[in-house]
Amino acid sequence: MAVKPFGLVFFPAFDWALTPTHPEREERLLYTRDQIVEEGLLDIPGIREYKPRLATLRDADRVHIGVPDIGSHITDAHLVSAGGAITAAEAVVKGEVARAFALVRPPGHHAMRVVHGTRGFCTINIEAVMVEYLRRHHGIRRVAIVDTDVHHGDGTQDIFYHDPDTLFISFHQDGRTLYPGSGFTDEAGSPPALGTTINLPLPPGTTDEGLHYVLDNLIIPVLEDFRPDLVINSAGQDNHYSDPLASMAITAQGYASLAAKLRADVAVLEGGYSIEDALPYVNTGIILAMAGLDYSRVVEPDIAAAPRGLSDGTRAYLRELVAKQGALWRERESLSSAAAAKAGDFWTRRRGIYYDDSGISEQQVERLRLCPHCRGYLAVATEAEGHRTGYQSAFAAVVPRESCPACRQGAKDAVLAAKRQGKYQHYYIQDKENDSLERV
Amino acid sequence: MLLGIDVGGTYTDAVVVAEGKVIAQAKAPTTHDDLLAGILAALDRVLDGVDAAGLRRVALSTTIVTNAVVEGRLERVGLLLLPGPGMDISALVPERPRILSGYIDHRGRETAAPREAEVASACRDLDGCEVYAVAGKFAVRNPAHEQAVAGWLRRHARPAHITLGSAVAGSLNFWRRANSAYYNAAVWRHFGRFARAAQAAVAGRGVTAPVYILKADGGTMPLAAAGERPVEAVFTGPAASVLGIMALAAPRGEAVSLDIGGTTTDIALWRDGAPLFAERGAQIGDYPTAVRAFWLRSIGIGGDSFVRRENGRIIIGPEGRGPAMALGGPAPTVSDAMIVAGAAGFGDKDRAAEAMRLTAAGGETVQETARSVLAAAAEAIQAAIANMIDERASEPVYRVEDAVRDLRPQPAALIGVGGAAAGLAPLVAERLGIRCSVPEGAVVANAVGAAVARPTIEVTLRADTAQGYYTVAELGLRAALPSRRFTLANARELAARHLAERAAAAGIPVADVESVYDEEFNLVRGFSTTGKIIACQLQIKPGIFTAGEGV
Ligand SMILES: [Zn+2]
Ligand SMILES: [Zn+2]
């Protein structure tokens, strides 16, 4: 029997697919459903299944700036999926359960702040929508997100890149060998939030042993040091040795013991495309581990196919990685001040962002006001071009919570000035203090 | 004519129904030590003046299985499980299981073979065991391992009976199937003895009509067929009551029904004129099972519920202290309040008034007290109904289409049956703002339900066109698909054929077949569709014989 009550939001979206043969299709969680139901997991006293609520467009607007608006990019499925994450988190925050797992689709961790379309199967970032909902409605402040998907959680990183209250740790297969091609150690947060983004690129073929080395020696100690109000696990499962989209070697036992050590308050499913050979077992393992139950018998039938051990090269690389990122963490405050001093009043970043599913390429310029009195404000200029969507552009300013009057005014002025120049099609102010996304 | 007998906690009721009307009714005290004696006494009384030759069917709703479970009269079962990888359920089943190797995966493929030597060793270990239950994970997708183990059991032991998990239920949930199989085996001998005695005794009274037994899902099965599936005859009392309501009141659309008895009220929700089922199966003791049952909530309020005041508040039940004071009981009851409020006409009115005086707060008239008592009882029932509605509304769904739809039940009518229905049901309906009916004959609703319950049976068919086979779990069947271009429509046709077969084998007429659920998924491998997974469950809809319909 579960040691502590555990909440499960299971939403396999059996009637939703990106396209009929896409990895994000109706069939994806079919075998996971079969396994969970067949095991009888939903009948265990202490395991409580929740129906996902429907997130609102307003919940999405708290995080995203959709061009022209978020509603034109998403379907009901996205609102159920994000709503499922909120349902899970709320069950924990209200004390109904000790932990919860939103085993939902579609996923979200590649969706960035600005949304022109779908990238990496994601349109809205369901964890970010959940986190901002909790901040708005439940007074949660410090949040740690550990992204255990094989792909770099570039969307989540983007959304919280300037936020020192959100610790984002992502381990993933090295971006030189896999989509989205980012997540290197030098992506560590903008100056005010330097060190609260931690990327751990892992060599292809990394096994349970390698992953747990990084977990034990870096992730867990950093989490303890950060003292978050809430730990979120972006629980992608495509590090599995049988996953068709990646080349890692994690097993169901590796994932389950990770869940047991991480002790996340809320886990949210992300990727995982070995729908028959991995997902049924990985999900069963994670549910048992999060519920405090024995998961030792959850073993893939084809476990003999799983690579084991660790090469000397990988071992040395991981040791160095842990040392380097550990040092960055310990010195983050002085590094942050130095970076801010170097940047002056504004920190600027230019990027190209590619939407593989929608066939869009975006050029984006962020200008972050570094304010001595508050978190500053962010101005984002975006231009996107796609065969189906044509040209879309927008200029937005984001006012964080607890901003000073000068920065509130500065954000407004920046948008009005851009509008006077008239270079963009759409103008927005996203005000986190007033919980509004306003068209200017 | 149809004869129905319901074995209740106090009385065994019997009715004869002809053309949808109760033409005879009788009762006899329930004989707990030997249920058959009470059953036969009620039978004799109801047949007094009725021509037994005109009976087409005798149907029993009996507590024989429920009692065996509650009283722990369960035979020792050799429980053999093939759990494969997954949760360890060894400590979660009613009997210490022997765990065997062998695994069937979610597609019904063997990924590890079972071993005869392990079964042989389990048999030595279980020396003296005569009944066995075998359950394997995903056996509903491929029963081969369960069947192989049964074969080895026959070779290495002398089993009087073996229950296979996949035969007791066709749906997923290994834990529930294992528990069901265990209970089925554990009550098999006890039930068989009762069934044979009942059959002989009824025949001895010159009744040649076949004897059926009621199931928890409101269906009936011929007593002979029930011998292999006794666990399905658990909790038939509430099922009988629900069917009685169907027969007497024919609820339409969305409704709520109350069976208000001595110390409990059983609540059921209805949709499209049919009671809702428990999503996954009935709970037996501490164990969830796969036994199909109506979804009922029982709360501790009835006519005999003990009424008192604690810290100024009226408290009702859950226990009783005996009959109403108006009937010579020792303490105030809900029935006393009904008598004083003019909602019931039996018993000694002065004693009822005395009961209310004992309950009254300072300065209250007995009428005011009676009204407060009934209001409190109605409020508690209303709260339980609201709770059920909330629970149903928050039942998880797995499709976007269902997630965005409001599935909250909105009952538009209330039906009350049972001894205390007339006094309480209208008050509950008033609070809910819906119309109320208390049908005539409500006090023998259970026996009527048993009399008119229609036999029902189900089959679950699952096809995997990529692998080219299909299974019908309840038949232990795994066979090649007739064509690779197999569609959901083909699956329904094939399932209907197997349903007819299964019904014929059980002596059940096929009528009113309905689809319980179906699903269809494309199997995509390497960006191209390689086949389909199609599943459908069909059943003969549980329900009642309407006038003129045959058995
Ligand atoms: Zn991924
Ligand atoms: Zn400021």
Side-chain angles (χ1 to χ4, degrees):
Chain A
M1 305 293 136
V3 177
K4 284 178 182 166
F6 168 73
L8 180 69
V9 177
F10 182 53
F11 188 70
F14 280 151
D15 54 351
W16 182 86
L18 267 176
T19 64
T21 58
H22 195 281
E24 270 304 339
R25 63 176 180 274
E26 296 89 344
E27 187 192 358
R28 185 173 161 226
L29 292 178
L30 176 61
Y31 313 104
T32 296
R33 188 274 315 257
D34 287 354
Q35 195 78 30
I36 290 174
V37 173
E38 177 68 351
E39 294 283 351
L41 287 177
L42 302 172
D43 292 314
I44 305 262
I47 294 187
R48 178 166 165 197
E49 189 182 9
Y50 286 85
K51 179 181 184 172
R53 66 191 288 175
L54 220 57
T56 61
L57 290 176
R58 198 187 157 118
D59 292 329
D61 280 342
R62 201 174 281 128
V63 170
H64 294 292
I65 295 155
V67 185
D69 54 69
I70 202 70
S72 56
H73 295 289
I74 61 174
T75 63
D76 285 339
H78 297 98
L79 295 176
V80 182
S81 171
I86 292 174
T87 301
E90 228 168 19
V92 173
V93 171
K94 287 180 175 170
E96 292 171 11
V97 295
R99 291 171 212 295
F101 184 12
L103 185 37
V104 299
R105 56 183 288 270
H109 77 148
H110 296 303
M112 299 189 169
R113 185 192 315 274
V114 174
V115 175
H116 287 283
T118 301
R119 55 190 307 279
F121 320 165
C122 305
T123 314
I124 55 171
N125 193 306
I126 60 176
E127 280 96 348
V129 169
M130 171 186 89
V131 165
E132 293 305 310
Y133 180 94
L134 294 178
R135 286 184 167 146
R136 187 76 212 166
H137 295 286
H138 294 283
I140 299 287
R141 188 176 178 109
R142 286 170 80 76
V143 175
I145 302 173
V146 182
D147 188 317
T148 56
D149 190 279
V150 77
H151 302 97
H152 175 226
D154 56 349
T156 313
Q157 169 171 309
D158 175 68
I159 290 163
F160 297 111
Y161 206 61
H162 317 300
D163 176 9
D165 286 333
T166 307
L167 170 64
F168 176 69
I169 306 178
S170 176
F171 67 73
H172 42 264
Q173 185 177 326
D174 191 324
R176 290 169 298 189
T177 63
L178 192 68
Y179 180 89
S182 55
F184 300 103
T185 52
D186 59 346
E187 299 160 35
S190 65
L194 196 70
T196 55
T197 292
I198 300 179
N199 280 304
L200 301 162
L202 303 179
T206 300
T207 56
D208 290 350
E209 189 188 341
L211 172 61
H212 279 264
Y213 174 79
V214 174
L215 184 68
D216 297 341
N217 294 288
L218 186 81
I219 298 176
I220 301 288
V222 166
L223 280 178
E224 280 169 6
D225 199 23
F226 183 70
R227 293 180 183 280
D229 299 330
L230 215 61
V231 176
I232 313 293
N233 179 200
S234 255
Q237 306 175 354
D238 32 16
N239 280 291
H240 193 265
Y241 63 85
S242 65
D243 198 274
L245 301 191
S247 321
M248 301 294 270
I250 307 305
T251 68
Q253 279 294 307
Y255 263 118
S257 55
L258 178 147
K261 286 181 190 174
L262 204 53
R263 301 167 52 78
D265 297 289
V266 187
V268 180
L269 178 71
E270 283 296 342
Y273 302 94
S274 174
I275 61 176
E276 286 207 62
D277 298 331
L279 266 55
Y281 310 102
V282 174
N283 281 309
T284 300
I286 291 178
I287 290 168
L288 290 175
M290 288 188 78
L293 295 164
D294 176 17
Y295 55 83
S296 62
R297 297 195 187 194
V298 183
V299 177
E300 300 85 337
D302 70 342
I303 190 68
R308 307 201 169 251
L310 219 48
S311 74
D312 289 343
T314 299
R315 201 180 297 276
Y317 167 83
L318 294 177
R319 204 176 298 127
E320 203 176 310
L321 177 69
V322 163
K324 181 176 170 186
Q325 295 297 67
L328 173 67
W329 175 253
R330 284 187 296 277
E331 291 154 28
R332 66 191 181 283
E333 275 164 28
S334 59
L335 292 170
S336 169
S337 329
K342 190 176 157 214
D345 290 343
F346 287 92
W347 175 87
T348 304
R349 171 165 75 158
R350 288 165 198 283
R351 282 182 301 163
I353 296 162
Y354 173 49
Y355 291 70
D356 55 340
D357 294 303
S358 301
I360 293 171
S361 89
E362 178 192 0
Q363 289 300 320
Q364 196 186 93
V365 182
E366 287 170 288
R367 218 163 161 252
L368 179 69
R369 163 73 177 130
L370 305 181
C371 173
H373 309 295
C374 76
R375 297 272 164 85
Y377 68 86
L378 177 73
V380 188
T382 172
E383 292 178 274
E385 185 85 56
H387 288 297
R388 270 172 290 155
T389 51
Y391 173 80
Q392 291 244 60
S393 68
F395 187 94
V398 180
V399 184
R401 274 189 291 171
E402 298 163 11
S403 56
C404 73
C407 286
R408 299 187 67 79
Q409 192 58 45
K412 204 170 176 182
D413 290 348
V415 175
L416 291 174
K419 183 156 192 184
R420 269 196 303 278
Q421 285 183 7
K423 192 181 160 201
Y424 302 97
Q425 295 164 327
H426 308 282
Y427 301 89
Y428 310 89
I429 293 182
Q430 188 183 55
D431 187 332
K432 302 234 172 175
E433 189 68 51
N434 294 336
D435 196 25
S436 63
L437 176 69
E438 200 187 315
R439 271 176 175 281
V440 179
Chain B
M1 289 186 298
L2 302 166
L3 192 150
I5 297 174
D6 175 66
V7 179
T10 316
Y11 290 106
T12 297
D13 287 304
V15 297
V16 175
V17 177
E19 299 299 314
K21 298 249 177 325
V22 175
I23 59 163
Q25 66 183 73
K27 62 172 66 206
T30 293
T31 43
H32 287 283
D33 298 337
D34 173 19
L35 292 178
L36 198 54
I39 291 171
L40 293 174
L43 182 73
D44 289 340
R45 282 176 208 173
V46 83
L47 283 179
D48 188 22
V50 173
D51 176 15
L55 291 175
R56 283 183 299 162
R57 188 182 81 164
V58 175
L60 286 175
S61 157
T62 154
T63 49
I64 185 87
V65 174
T66 312
N67 287 355
V69 171
V70 171
E71 292 157 16
R73 276 194 303 226
L74 299 169
E75 185 168 354
R76 180 172 168 240
V77 176
L79 179 60
L80 281 67
L81 301 180
L82 299 90
M87 183 170 67
D88 181 3
I89 67 163
S90 305
L92 303 178
V93 287
E95 173 92 55
R96 186 170 77 84
R98 318 289 143 159
I99 303 293
L100 306 179
S101 311
Y103 189 55
I104 300 284
D105 79 358
H106 49 266
R107 294 273 302 278
R109 298 168 296 205
E110 175 181 278
T111 64
R115 293 194 207 122
E116 182 171 0
E118 292 176 0
V119 175
S121 138
C123 287
R124 283 193 294 279
D125 218 26
L126 290 163
D127 189 30
C129 237
E130 290 182 7
V131 297
Y132 293 84
V134 182
K137 202 171 279 173
F138 287 114
V140 292
R141 301 270 163 96
N142 179 355
H145 286 183
E146 283 186 357
Q147 289 165 355
V149 169
W152 292 331
L153 277 175
R154 283 185 212 105
R155 185 179 302 169
H156 297 281
R158 298 262 164 280
H161 171 83
I162 303 173
T163 303
L164 297 188
S166 59
V168 295
S171 45
L172 290 179
N173 202 317
F174 167 62
W175 185 22
R176 284 180 181 268
R177 291 196 310 274
N179 290 333
S180 294
Y182 162 80
Y183 279 115
N184 196 63
V187 300
W188 170 81
R189 196 186 304 269
H190 183 65
F191 181 83
R193 229 179 264 133
F194 168 82
R196 282 187 299 276
Q199 193 97 55
V202 170
R205 272 151 177 84
V207 177
T208 50
V211 182
Y212 278 62
I213 191 135
L214 197 68
K215 300 192 294 171
D217 67 1
T220 58
M221 42 183 179
L223 208 46
E228 290 305 300
R229 306 276 293 269
V231 72
E232 292 190 21
V234 76
F235 307 136
T236 59
S241 136
V242 164
L243 289 166
I245 291 163
M246 200 185 270
L248 297 169
R252 289 206 194 107
E254 292 197 41
V256 55
S257 68
L258 307 175
D259 179 355
I260 310 178
T263 53
T264 57
T265 295
D266 288 336
I267 309 168
L269 294 180
W270 299 65
R271 174 169 287 162
D272 299 332
L276 299 181
F277 277 90
E279 280 288 322
R280 297 173 195 147
Q283 177 93 6
I284 300 182
D286 291 335
Y287 300 94
T289 75
V291 174
R292 278 158 47 93
F294 291 130
W295 186 49
L296 300 166
R297 179 81 23 107
S298 196
I299 65 163
I301 287 187
D304 295 338
S305 293
F306 170 44
V307 174
R308 70 279 187 195
R309 216 175 259 277
E310 283 173 14
N311 302 321
R313 284 188 54 230
I314 288 168
I315 306 289
I316 300 172
E319 77 279 17
R321 292 261 167 110
M325 280 175 66
L327 295 177
T333 67
V334 172
S335 293
D336 291 313
M338 295 198 313
I339 292 163
V340 172
F346 57 84
D348 179 339
K349 288 193 175 53
D350 294 336
R351 292 279 299 157
E354 175 58 22
M356 287 304 99
R357 247 189 305 282
L358 288 171
T359 318
E364 245 181 5
T365 66
V366 291
Q367 278 79 15
E368 282 165 347
T369 305
R371 276 196 295 275
S372 311
V373 168
L374 297 181
E379 190 185 348
I381 296 170
Q382 183 201 6
I385 295 170
N387 214 295
M388 285 180 85
I389 290 175
D390 282 347
E391 210 172 286
R392 200 69 186 184
S394 55
E395 199 72 59
V397 294
Y398 294 162
R399 303 166 65 84
V400 177
E401 186 195 350
D402 299 325
V404 300
R405 224 166 19 143
D406 186 6
L407 299 173
R408 173 171 288 269
Q410 287 177 321
L414 182 143
I415 302 104
V417 297
L424 273 179
L427 298 178
V428 178
E430 198 180 310
R431 297 180 85 92
L432 293 169
I434 58 179
R435 58 179 194 276
C436 178
S437 64
V438 178
E440 223 179 296
V443 288
V444 288
N446 290 27
V448 172
V452 300
R454 196 164 58 187
T456 169
I457 207 161
E458 80 282 350
V459 293
T460 314
L461 184 142
R462 185 174 173 284
D464 185 327
T465 69
Q467 295 190 72
Y469 79 90
Y470 74 99
T471 53
V472 179
E474 295 88 351
L475 297 172
L477 176 74
R478 181 179 158 96
L481 279 173
S483 141
R484 283 185 93 79
R485 290 224 188 104
F486 192 76
T487 64
L488 183 56
N490 298 145
R492 287 208 194 100
E493 274 167 41
L494 189 57
R497 276 219 297 280
H498 285 301
L499 183 69
E501 244 171 62
R502 190 173 183 221
I508 289 174
V510 177
D512 215 351
V513 173
E514 69 167 2
S515 160
V516 181
Y517 75 80
D518 49 47
E519 55 186 39
E520 183 175 19
F521 288 91
N522 283 329
L523 281 157
V524 178
R525 297 295 174 269
F527 294 96
S528 61
T529 303
T530 57
K532 278 178 191 297
I533 286 181
I534 298 169
C536 67
Q537 189 174 50
L538 292 186
Q539 69 174 353
I540 295 173
K541 196 173 175 181
I544 53 168
F545 288 122
T546 45
E549 204 180 334
V551 176

